Amino acid sequence: MTVLVTGGAGYIGSHTLVQLLEDNQQVVVIDNLSNASVESLVRVENITGKQITFYQGDVLNKALLQKIFTDHDINAVIHFAGLKAVGESVQQPLRYYENNVTGTLSLCEVMAQFDVKNLVFSSSATVYGDPASLPITEDFPTSATNPYGQSKLMVEHILNDLYRADNSWNIAVLRYFNPVGAHPSGLIGEDPNDIPNNLMPFIAQVAVGKRPSLNVWGNDYDTHDGTGVRDYIHVVDLANGHLKALQKIATKPGLVTYNLGTGNGYSVLDMVQAFEKACGKTLPYTFEPRRAGDIAACYANPSKANAELGWYASHSIDDMTKSTWHWQSNNPNGYNSQ
Ligand code: WQD
């Protein structure tokens, strides 16, 4: 099978490429490298000993997509390409809607033109807003509080309408919880452009000495230690969810939606402690006011993905912190470390 992977040079994309190649799939990657490095693809080739066909460009570029679909016999698309910083999306809503919504429209139009109607889409647990109860199942109400979340929700609605209009599409919408960790080789991992917004890369940069201290946003939440609770999921488990979703799509299920989370909630301080164990250092932090827009707690009920995809998250919190430390300590400046 030949799989087109949009955003394949990014964090989750690169880890998924490793598994696709190890599964003997052919892969074609399109990535505009706006928040990714071509070095990640070189490293995926080193890990797997296999070749990747790479197009540097944008999913908004329909002519380029048409060339890719003309030159390759694509069977399915995994669509990772998109912008993902919540705060930035509030500042630059048009850029977010253009990239995430118009980009997906462009991709789906070209897919339809070439009669390739198998799609795996990267959605997010952010579509659940502030859930009324926990754990979260796929039938919970959806809402969005920022343009990033809104763009994911809009694409979900568009894909639902697309499937309703033409049920020859097979679409897996994957709602990710909080992806963390890195490949066990330490060769690929998360490499944020700027000051990390997300907890794990920030902790990793404190551990490696790039940042003096972690700001813990709020210690007065209604959680076991007052800090925010999330469902951190190892990126290798998450990547595996995409292979399982491709297998599901091959059974022509129509449009299916799955939570990809572990079902466990860990607090900010739980993550700090686990990271201290992994790196053997004490990590300085201070308590700061709550971050605007944050919720107290969020974790998945992953039973649907367990039952229907045969997918289970198998990596522990220690696997998450150890592999992050392995990547970060070997690559203190990410892909620019060489
Ligand atoms: C986790 C916890 C923070 C940083 C966001 C998006 C979501 C998504 C994943 C997109 C919270 C606390 C964080 C820090 C801290 N998808 N924290 N100090 O907010 O659950 O989700 O990223 O890519 O759509 O909303 O993840 O990692 O930012 O925060 O105390 O420096 O860590 O308050 O409790 P979040 P996060």
Side-chain angles (χ1 to χ4, degrees):
M1 181 157 83
T2 302
V3 184
L4 173 63
V5 182
T6 77
Y11 173 45
I12 305 169
S14 57
H15 286 81
T16 303
L17 289 179
V18 169
Q19 294 190 25
L20 288 168
L21 291 166
E22 285 174 346
D23 195 42
N24 293 318
Q25 313 294 342
Q26 306 292 316
V27 299
V28 177
V29 171
I30 177 171
D31 197 305
N32 67 7
L33 301 181
S34 70
N35 186 26
S37 163
V38 77
E39 175 66 16
S40 68
L41 299 177
V42 173
R43 296 198 183 181
V44 169
E45 290 185 335
N46 288 342
I47 292 168
T48 59
K50 299 196 174 153
Q51 294 294 308
I52 296 166
T53 305
F54 173 55
Y55 293 83
Q56 182 174 348
D58 208 293
V59 289
L60 287 159
N61 182 346
K62 284 174 89 172
L64 177 59
L65 288 176
Q66 283 159 340
K67 177 179 164 44
I68 292 172
F69 279 87
T70 304
D71 289 354
H72 303 274
D73 190 10
I74 306 286
N75 305 104
V77 178
I78 305 181
H79 180 35
F80 292 107
L83 301 174
K84 61 166 190 168
V86 172
E88 186 182 68
S89 80
V90 176
Q91 305 301 322
Q92 304 174 20
L94 298 181
R95 187 168 157 243
Y96 269 70
Y97 290 124
E98 172 80 351
N99 273 275
N100 293 3
V101 181
T102 313
T104 306
L105 289 179
S106 162
L107 175 67
C108 289
E109 281 162 7
V110 175
M111 288 176 70
Q113 186 189 336
F114 285 82
D115 201 27
V116 177
K117 297 181 177 175
N118 297 317
L119 175 66
V120 179
F121 173 63
S122 300
S123 189
S124 167
T126 195
V127 302
Y128 295 115
D130 191 354
S133 64
L134 293 167
I136 299 169
T137 52
E138 289 82 354
D139 54 0
F140 270 35
T142 54
S143 67
T145 53
N146 57 71
Y148 163 73
Q150 194 67 258
S151 73
K152 290 291 176 191
L153 205 45
M154 286 166 85
V155 170
E156 287 203 11
H157 290 149
I158 290 166
L159 295 177
N160 272 279
D161 289 342
L162 178 61
Y163 173 66
R164 209 169 299 151
D166 175 359
N167 62 18
S168 64
W169 281 83
N170 290 289
I171 301 172
V173 172
L174 303 182
R175 293 176 174 161
Y176 310 154
F177 282 68
N178 288 58
V180 297
H183 190 264
S185 64
L187 288 173
I188 57 172
E190 186 169 12
D191 181 20
N193 257 347
D194 204 348
I195 302 172
N197 296 305
N198 296 116
L199 179 65
M200 192 68 141
F202 202 105
I203 293 178
Q205 292 196 4
V206 172
V208 86
K210 279 182 79 177
R211 313 216 170 261
S213 168
L214 172 71
N215 299 313
V216 177
W217 306 124
N219 64 344
D220 58 351
Y221 286 108
D222 184 15
T223 61
H224 64 271
D225 60 17
T227 66
V229 164
R230 297 290 183 274
D231 187 338
Y232 297 95
I233 173 166
H234 198 295
V235 66
V236 169
D237 283 329
L238 191 63
N240 181 246
H242 294 74
L243 273 75
K244 298 285 190 185
L246 283 178
Q247 289 167 12
K248 181 73 182 177
I249 278 180
T251 70
K252 303 200 181 302
L255 188 144
V256 285
T257 301
Y258 297 107
N259 285 341
L260 294 185
T262 65
N264 302 314
Y266 290 108
S267 73
V268 176
L269 295 183
D270 293 335
M271 297 308 283
V272 170
Q273 272 163 22
F275 209 99
E276 286 180 335
K277 202 165 93 183
C279 71
K281 302 177 189 188
T282 301
L283 301 176
Y285 64 84
T286 55
F287 290 122
E288 303 294 336
R290 294 179 178 192
R291 186 172 66 177
D294 270 359
I295 57 176
C298 171
Y299 51 91
N301 178 337
S303 317
K304 190 178 173 203
N306 298 161
E308 295 184 17
L309 298 180
W311 172 85
Y312 296 87
S314 64
H315 290 77
S316 67
I317 182 173
D318 289 336
D319 298 330
M320 300 179 204
T321 52
K322 273 187 201 150
S323 62
T324 303
W325 178 237
H326 187 204
W327 152 253
Q328 187 74 56
S329 53
N330 284 342
N331 305 271
N333 296 309
Y335 291 112
N336 293 325
S337 294
Q338 263 71 28

